[in-house]
């Protein structure tokens, strides 16, 4: 009987300990959390950030000063836990109007989603700066550049793009849709026949295939309309940088028009 009693006591102790772990760190008064409070906190945080396209992440725990002039009075002096909001929303759901407003702010619940939005924003900036999304695999976001948010410095964006291309089958539909809307290039060789044709036309017009980096196909009667606006200089640069991955049939086609793989003159790099 003693052994059974001891075992029963031990089981009871483990149950109590498990209960402690289950509730440890759980916010008190979680029932007082409301979706409206979450939206109010997010809207105030949005006022204080510079990059509106980046993720809005409040953190796991955050306190509002008693003397805050920007928060609604009902929120002042309180400490909030993100888990408290999650519990309420799991139980009650999130009203559609609030969900829409949070989405518009790029609100994220966790660090995983925060990193996704940051990478998406980095792709947006790269496209703004370069006019395309053919990110070289070796490209990393520069440190201390006025063109980039400081927290993105060092991000290996070229590797990010490579991972996305390889992981397309496992990517959530919503994220793939976000990349599609941005103009993400899933297959870098999908339109190579057209690019080779554009380079062939360039050589016919200029007598060589050394395309300057800044060259965009002009809206000119000398060029077919389907090529207008093509950033041929950037295409040539990226082709040189990934020369070891260009399929053999395109290497042969480029060599046939005298493509310069070395780019010794920096003007053409």
């Amino acid at each position: 009987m003693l052994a059974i009693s001891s075992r029963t006591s031990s089981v009871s102790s483990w149950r109590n300990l498990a209960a402690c772990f289950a509730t440890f760190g759980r916010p008190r008064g979680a029932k007082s959390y409301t979706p409206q409070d979450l939206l109010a906190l997010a809207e105030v945080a949005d006022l204080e950030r510079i990059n509106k396209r980046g993720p809005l992440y409040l953190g796991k725990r955050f306190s509002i000063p008693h003397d805050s002039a920007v928060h609604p009075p009902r929120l002042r002096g309180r400490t909030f836990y993100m888990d408290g909001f999650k519990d309420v929303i799991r139980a009650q759901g999130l009203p559609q109007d609030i969900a829409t407003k949070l989405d518009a702010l790029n609100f994220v619940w966790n660090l995983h989603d925060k990193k996704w939005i940051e990478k998406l924003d980095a792709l947006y900036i790269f496209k703004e700066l370069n006019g395309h999304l053919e990110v070289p695999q070796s490209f990393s976001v520069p440190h201390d550049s006025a063109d980039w948010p400081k927290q993105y410095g060092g991000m290996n964006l070229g590797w990010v793009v490579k991972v996305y291309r390889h992981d397309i089958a496992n990517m959530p539909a919503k994220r793939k849709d976000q990349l599609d809307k941005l103009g993400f290039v899933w297959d870098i060789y999908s339109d190579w026949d057209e690019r080779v044709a554009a380079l062939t036309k360039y050589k016919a017009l200029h007598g060589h295939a050394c395309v300057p980096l800044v060259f965009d196909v002009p809206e000119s009667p000398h060029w077919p309309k389907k090529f207008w606006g093509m950033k041929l200089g950037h295409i040539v640069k990226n082709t040189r940088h990934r020369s070891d991955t260009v399929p053999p049939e395109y290497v042969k086609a480029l060599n046939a028009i005298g493509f310069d793989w070395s780019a010794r003159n920096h003007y053409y790099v």
Side-chain angles (χ1 to χ4, degrees):
M1 289 294 294
L2 181 61
I4 295 175
S5 176
S6 298
R7 183 180 178 185
T8 302
S9 176
S10 176
V11 170
S12 177
S13 297
W14 276 109
R15 284 176 177 169
N16 290 337
L17 185 60
C20 289
F21 276 113
T23 58
F24 181 76
R26 225 25 164 192
R28 295 181 178 180
K31 292 182 179 179
S32 64
Y33 287 41
T34 68
Q36 290 75 17
D37 289 345
L38 177 61
L39 178 61
L41 291 166
E43 288 177 335
V44 171
D46 181 61
L47 295 174
E48 300 173 349
R49 64 179 183 151
I50 298 174
N51 181 15
K52 300 295 185 180
R53 287 192 315 268
L56 179 59
Y57 177 59
L58 298 178
K60 293 183 178 181
R61 176 184 181 277
F62 40 96
S63 299
I64 310 303
H66 288 275
D67 58 351
S68 173
V70 292
H71 289 87
R74 70 180 187 279
L75 304 181
R76 296 171 190 169
R78 293 181 60 185
T79 295
F80 293 91
Y81 294 82
M82 190 56 66
D83 282 344
F85 288 113
K86 290 179 181 178
D87 288 345
V88 170
I89 289 169
R90 285 193 192 101
Q92 303 176 7
L94 185 64
Q96 185 57 50
D97 61 325
I98 292 180
T100 300
K101 291 177 181 177
L102 289 173
D103 283 344
L105 296 174
N106 277 338
F107 174 82
V108 294
W109 290 97
N110 52 58
L111 286 173
H112 181 70
D113 289 340
K114 176 177 180 286
K115 290 178 181 178
W116 161 256
I117 296 295
E118 286 178 343
K119 292 171 183 176
L120 196 66
D121 186 41
L123 287 169
Y124 181 94
I125 295 172
F126 183 93
K127 184 176 182 179
E128 275 194 331
L129 295 174
N130 298 282
H132 63 86
L133 274 177
E134 293 189 14
V135 186
Q137 187 173 327
S138 60
F139 177 80
S140 292
V141 175
H143 292 279
D144 301 322
S145 169
D147 294 325
W148 293 88
K150 186 175 181 180
Q151 66 270 28
Y152 295 178
M155 181 191 294
N156 191 337
L157 196 59
W159 182 257
V160 168
V161 167
K162 180 179 180 180
V163 170
Y164 288 169
R165 287 182 180 136
H166 282 268
D167 200 40
I168 183 173
N170 301 314
M171 182 173 289
K174 181 179 179 180
R175 292 191 172 185
K176 184 179 181 302
D177 183 59
Q178 288 176 300
L179 290 171
D180 285 340
K181 289 179 179 177
L182 189 59
F184 189 81
V185 181
W186 295 101
D187 182 359
I188 57 175
Y189 300 114
S190 60
D191 57 353
W192 259 84
D193 289 333
E194 188 171 286
R195 296 180 181 190
V196 171
L199 281 167
T200 302
K201 182 64 177 179
Y202 182 93
K203 182 179 181 180
L205 293 173
H206 298 273
H208 61 81
C210 294
V211 185
L213 175 61
V214 296
F215 180 81
D216 296 349
V217 175
E219 296 183 9
S220 163
H222 298 297
W223 285 89
K225 285 187 177 181
K226 65 179 180 179
F227 296 149
W228 288 3
M230 180 184 289
K231 294 187 174 297
L232 199 57
H234 283 285
I235 289 172
V236 168
K237 174 187 175 182
N238 290 339
T239 301
R240 291 190 182 110
H241 283 200
R242 58 168 68 101
S243 59
D244 57 336
T245 67
V246 178
E249 62 270 27
Y250 293 119
V251 172
K252 183 178 179 180
L254 291 170
N255 287 338
I257 60 175
F259 187 81
D260 183 2
W261 295 94
S262 62
R264 289 178 294 273
N265 187 335
H266 72 277
Y267 179 62
Y268 301 109
V269 174

